[in-house]
Amino acid sequence: MKNQILCIFSTTPTKELAELISQTLVFERLAACVQVGSPVKSTYIWEGKPYCETEYPLLIKASEAMLEKLRGRYMEIHSYDCPEWVVVRAETSAEYAKFVEGADGVVPL
């Protein structure tokens, strides 16, 4: 796959945590961009109990080179015992791939 980036999907329980994670990951240059979405209703079973909770979706764009550092930092910040962490490898334009790769300091922004 040419011009590959990572798109990582997750959620947080509060807007404040979503914004903290977003700013931390970008300002520490672990991710090129983090989008915080509008609240969604998540329905799931955790430890045998059903839940229907409001959560804030995150879409994190990053380079493959930063994945392990990014995941480690994300898990340090997140409040859930088992935060959602879904990684999708995606093909993008050459220009956007360069932007994402540059976020880790390899190419000046």
Side-chain angles (χ1 to χ4, degrees):
M1 191 181 307
K2 296 181 347 181
N3 303 316
Q4 182 174 302
I5 66 166
L6 302 179
C7 293
I8 302 154
F9 297 90
S10 194
T11 57
T12 65
T14 67
K15 183 178 181 182
E16 293 76 22
L17 181 58
E19 290 173 353
L20 172 68
I21 288 171
S22 173
Q23 292 173 10
T24 300
L25 298 180
V26 172
F27 295 166
E28 292 182 7
R29 301 181 73 95
L30 299 171
C33 175
V34 180
Q35 295 172 314
V36 177
S38 297
V40 296
K41 201 58 110 164
S42 295
T43 304
Y44 56 94
I45 296 175
W46 176 250
E47 297 181 339
K49 295 180 185 175
Y51 293 87
C52 188
E53 304 286 336
T54 299
E55 294 184 299
Y56 290 82
L58 297 176
L59 174 54
I60 304 164
K61 273 84 61 110
S63 69
E64 184 79 40
M66 297 308 292
L67 182 60
E68 289 310 311
K69 287 181 184 178
L70 172 62
R71 184 181 188 283
R73 186 68 170 120
Y74 185 82
M75 296 302 171
E76 286 176 5
I77 302 167
H78 207 291
S79 63
Y80 288 163
D81 291 335
C82 180
E84 177 183 359
W85 183 260
V86 178
V87 178
V88 176
R89 284 162 178 81
E91 186 173 326
T92 187
S93 68
E95 296 80 12
Y96 195 74
K98 185 176 179 180
F99 162 72
V100 170
E101 289 293 328
D104 62 14
V106 176
V107 178
L109 292 176

